[in-house]
Amino acid sequence: MEGPSLTKKAKSNNQEGSFLKAAREALLHDFPNPDRKGCPSTETIKAIAVGKLTGEEASRWRVHAATCSPCTREYLNFRTEAERAK
Protein backbone atom coordinates (compact mmCIF):
# COMPACT_ATOMS: atom_id res chain seq x y z
CA MET A 1 0.00 0.00 0.00
CA GLU A 2 2.97 2.33 0.51
CA GLY A 3 3.89 2.40 -3.17
CA PRO A 4 0.62 3.79 -4.56
CA SER A 5 0.33 6.27 -1.70
CA LEU A 6 3.81 7.63 -2.38
CA THR A 7 3.12 7.79 -6.10
CA LYS A 8 -0.06 9.79 -5.52
CA LYS A 9 1.80 12.17 -3.21
CA ALA A 10 4.60 12.68 -5.74
CA LYS A 11 2.03 13.32 -8.48
CA SER A 12 0.22 15.77 -6.22
CA ASN A 13 3.49 17.60 -5.48
CA ASN A 14 4.27 17.78 -9.20
CA GLN A 15 0.81 19.18 -9.92
CA GLU A 16 1.20 21.76 -7.15
CA GLY A 17 4.61 22.73 -8.49
CA SER A 18 3.20 23.12 -11.99
CA PHE A 19 0.35 25.24 -10.68
CA LEU A 20 2.69 27.51 -8.70
CA LYS A 21 4.97 27.94 -11.71
CA ALA A 22 2.02 28.87 -13.93
CA ALA A 23 0.70 31.31 -11.31
CA ARG A 24 4.11 32.97 -11.00
CA GLU A 25 4.41 33.31 -14.78
CA ALA A 26 0.91 34.80 -14.98
CA LEU A 27 1.69 37.37 -12.29
CA LEU A 28 4.94 38.30 -14.01
CA HIS A 29 3.63 38.56 -17.57
CA ASP A 30 -0.16 38.49 -17.95
CA PHE A 31 -0.99 41.85 -16.37
CA PRO A 32 0.81 44.56 -18.34
CA ASN A 33 0.53 48.10 -17.10
CA PRO A 34 2.78 50.08 -19.45
CA ASP A 35 1.63 53.44 -18.11
CA ARG A 36 2.11 52.23 -14.51
CA LYS A 37 -1.37 53.49 -13.57
CA GLY A 38 -2.08 53.13 -9.88
CA CYS A 39 1.43 51.94 -9.10
CA PRO A 40 3.19 52.88 -5.88
CA SER A 41 6.61 54.50 -6.04
CA THR A 42 9.74 52.39 -6.43
CA GLU A 43 10.69 53.39 -2.88
CA THR A 44 7.39 52.03 -1.56
CA ILE A 45 7.80 48.74 -3.42
CA LYS A 46 11.34 48.39 -2.08
CA ALA A 47 10.20 49.16 1.48
CA ILE A 48 7.58 46.41 1.24
CA ALA A 49 10.06 43.95 -0.29
CA VAL A 50 12.58 44.40 2.51
CA GLY A 51 9.95 44.42 5.26
CA LYS A 52 10.22 48.09 6.23
CA LEU A 53 6.63 48.83 5.29
CA THR A 54 3.83 46.64 6.59
CA GLY A 55 0.23 46.97 7.58
CA GLU A 56 -2.58 48.55 5.60
CA GLU A 57 -0.40 50.31 3.02
CA ALA A 58 1.47 47.08 2.25
CA SER A 59 -1.86 45.23 2.01
CA ARG A 60 -3.23 47.75 -0.49
CA TRP A 61 -0.11 47.32 -2.57
CA ARG A 62 -0.44 43.52 -2.57
CA VAL A 63 -3.95 43.87 -4.00
CA HIS A 64 -2.55 46.12 -6.74
CA ALA A 65 0.41 43.81 -7.43
CA ALA A 66 -1.95 40.91 -8.08
CA THR A 67 -3.01 42.70 -11.28
CA CYS A 68 0.20 44.55 -12.22
CA SER A 69 3.09 42.58 -13.66
CA PRO A 70 5.58 45.49 -13.62
CA CYS A 71 5.09 45.98 -9.86
CA THR A 72 5.34 42.25 -9.22
CA ARG A 73 8.61 42.05 -11.16
CA GLU A 74 10.02 45.08 -9.35
CA TYR A 75 9.03 43.61 -5.98
CA LEU A 76 10.65 40.26 -6.79
CA ASN A 77 13.85 41.99 -7.92
CA PHE A 78 14.07 43.85 -4.60
CA ARG A 79 13.34 40.62 -2.66
CA THR A 80 16.11 38.84 -4.56
CA GLU A 81 18.55 41.67 -3.81
CA ALA A 82 17.60 41.60 -0.13
CA GLU A 83 18.11 37.85 0.07
CA ARG A 84 21.52 38.10 -1.59
CA ALA A 85 22.56 40.82 0.87
CA LYS A 86 21.87 38.54 3.86
Side-chain angles (χ1 to χ4, degrees), residues 17-62:
S18 295
F19 170 77
L20 292 174
K21 182 178 178 181
R24 179 183 172 100
E25 289 301 311
L27 284 172
L28 291 173
H29 304 289
D30 291 352
F31 301 98
N33 185 359
D35 297 328
R36 302 295 301 258
K37 291 184 180 178
C39 297
S41 68
T42 293
E43 293 79 20
T44 299
I45 294 172
K46 184 174 185 177
I48 294 166
V50 300
K52 290 185 178 181
L53 183 64
T54 59
E56 190 176 317
E57 189 170 355
S59 292
R60 280 195 310 269
W61 176 82
R62 286 185 181 93

Side-chain angles (χ1 to χ4, degrees), residues 48-81:
I48 294 166
V50 300
K52 290 185 178 181
L53 183 64
T54 59
E56 190 176 317
E57 189 170 355
S59 292
R60 280 195 310 269
W61 176 82
R62 286 185 181 93
V63 169
H64 168 81
T67 59
C68 182
S69 294
C71 283
T72 299
R73 285 192 298 271
E74 192 170 2
Y75 171 83
L76 289 174
N77 287 334
F78 285 128
R79 287 289 305 149
T80 299
E81 287 176 17

